[in-house]
Amino acid sequence: SAVISQKPSRDICQRGTSLTIQCQVDSQVTMMFWYRQQPGQSLTLIATANQGSEATYESGFVIDKFPISRPNLTFSTLTVSNMSPEDSSIYLCSVIDSTSGNTIYFGEGSWLTVV
Amino acid sequence: GENVEQHPSTLSVQEGDSAVIKCTYSDSASNYFPWYKQELGKGPQLIIDIRSNVGEKKDQRIAVTLNKTAKHFSLHITETQPEDSAVYFCAAKRGGSGYALNFGKGTSLLVTP
């Protein structure tokens, strides 16, 4: 299965600042996604990271707040901009692994606390 | 997005007993249904998945059943062990060409020795 690495794994951020989360995969993948998991909650899709083009955002998420880059087939970044305490969540990178029948895997997550 | 309902929200069983978690979905175009286990402080770990062309899949103590007509699927864990204690999420792939998932709200499973 694809191995997904996220950085940072955890961080404590000041209100009003921005933080960029990196997602690195050990193999080329066709599709990458970013999910958010608020404390004690389920996972919600933020956007699909498209290689070479703008990300596709879900309702309720906008590019100005969550800019995403995907420069190649193994790497993506998610920025959480102008953070507020409500942004305290786990941010998860997910990929489609075509070598294992299009199975969907998740990274270990980036645990952000905004103070 | 389309809904995925998951029940129960909490489940407590004794070691050695079986645990069953049920999910229903509304998107009739969904054709891929993974289950994830999330331990405290970790990301979701895929434990089993099923596609719409089969009705059941088993992997050692874990099995998943799918009823496409009724739009529900279930996770079965037999001979539970304390290390099975975690939050379990069901998910359904959205219809269409993409692979985004809609998730259930999760089931907190506690296996007591």
Side-chain angles (χ1 to χ4, degrees):
Chain A
S1 63
V3 176
I4 305 167
S5 301
Q6 285 189 233
K7 291 181 181 179
S9 57
R10 293 179 183 275
D11 208 339
I12 299 174
C13 308
Q14 294 295 318
R15 187 190 304 244
T17 63
S18 299
L19 182 78
T20 296
I21 302 166
Q22 298 180 1
C23 177
Q24 178 73 55
V25 192
D26 69 341
S27 59
Q28 293 186 343
V29 293
T30 53
M31 301 189 77
M32 297 178 76
F33 304 91
W34 287 98
Y35 286 80
R36 181 176 74 181
Q37 187 177 24
Q38 294 179 300
Q41 303 296 314
S42 187
L43 287 77
T44 301
L45 181 66
I46 297 172
T48 302
N50 300 310
Q51 194 263 331
S53 64
E54 193 171 286
T56 305
Y57 289 84
E58 295 295 300
S59 175
F61 297 96
V62 295
I63 187 171
D64 289 347
K65 177 67 175 176
F66 298 102
I68 288 170
S69 77
R70 190 178 172 195
N72 56 52
L73 295 177
T74 64
F75 186 77
S76 178
T77 66
L78 167 74
T79 299
V80 186
S81 302
N82 188 24
M83 285 184 284
S84 66
E86 293 72 35
D87 295 319
S88 297
S89 294
I90 308 168
Y91 292 88
L92 293 150
C93 176
S94 174
V95 307
I96 308 297
D97 185 358
S98 59
T99 65
S100 62
N102 290 333
T103 304
I104 301 173
Y105 295 101
F106 284 82
E108 287 296 329
S110 297
W111 300 60
L112 302 188
T113 301
V114 184
V115 297
Chain B
E2 301 287 349
N3 288 336
V4 176
E5 300 288 334
Q6 182 172 348
H7 299 280
S9 57
T10 61
L11 179 59
S12 182
V13 300
Q14 285 208 312
E15 182 177 1
D17 288 349
S18 296
V20 180
I21 302 171
K22 299 183 178 182
C23 290
T24 60
Y25 61 98
S26 58
D27 186 350
S28 58
S30 293
N31 59 8
Y32 175 65
F33 308 91
W35 286 88
Y36 295 90
K37 174 184 181 183
Q38 188 173 31
E39 296 174 305
L40 198 61
K42 296 190 176 182
Q45 175 193 4
L46 178 72
I47 56 172
I48 197 167
D49 57 8
I50 192 167
R51 299 180 192 274
S52 58
N53 56 346
V54 298
E56 184 174 0
K57 183 177 179 181
K58 189 173 182 180
D59 183 3
Q60 299 182 344
R61 296 187 297 108
I62 296 173
V64 56
T65 59
L66 171 65
N67 183 326
K68 281 218 73 177
T69 302
K71 293 183 189 173
H72 64 72
F73 56 113
S74 300
L75 178 72
H76 304 253
I77 306 174
T78 59
E79 301 173 29
T80 53
Q81 302 166 3
E83 49 265 40
D84 293 329
S85 297
V87 179
Y88 291 80
F89 290 97
C90 65
K93 172 187 166 304
R94 295 182 187 175
S97 59
Y99 272 83
L101 297 173
N102 291 323
F103 279 84
K105 291 187 181 300
T107 297
S108 179
L109 173 64
L110 177 64
V111 181
T112 55

